[in-house]
Amino acid sequence: MRVNSVHRPADSLFADSSLLHALLTARQGHAAAGLPFVLVAVSPLVRRLLDLTDTARVFTMAPDLASALDLIREEISSRRG
């Protein structure tokens, strides 16, 4: 099974508890599988949702895909020793 470790919520036009639930569920699934999960180019709308619900602190966020991939590589390297 292939699991994406990067999610780009920047294209979200609407952000409510359904999106938050989906993001938290995806993050939890990745954590359970030992995989990193990074939100890329988070829109102001999604960032506001994360801030209002005090969940921004549980996500790793990156401004762009290249930065997200760097974060993932660093996390994987640090796990290896």
Side-chain angles (χ1 to χ4, degrees), residues 27 47 50-51 53-61:
R27 183 191 164 278
R47 181 61 197 225
L50 298 176
D51 288 340
T53 57
D54 196 30
T55 55
R57 60 188 166 80
V58 303
F59 290 101
T60 301
M61 294 184 239

Side-chain angles (χ1 to χ4, degrees), residues 67 69-79:
S67 299
L69 294 174
D70 287 343
L71 287 170
I72 290 170
R73 286 185 199 105
E74 289 173 20
E75 186 172 332
I76 291 170
S77 291
S78 69
R79 288 181 187 177

Side-chain angles (χ1 to χ4, degrees), residues 14-29:
F14 183 74
D16 67 357
S17 61
S18 296
L19 175 62
L20 180 60
H21 178 73
L23 292 174
L24 289 168
T25 300
R27 183 191 164 278
Q28 182 179 26

Side-chain angles (χ1 to χ4, degrees), residues 30-50:
H30 280 73
L35 298 170
F37 184 77
V38 180
L39 299 179
V40 178
V42 177
S43 71
L45 180 69
V46 173
R47 181 61 197 225
R48 179 160 167 76
L49 173 68
L50 298 176

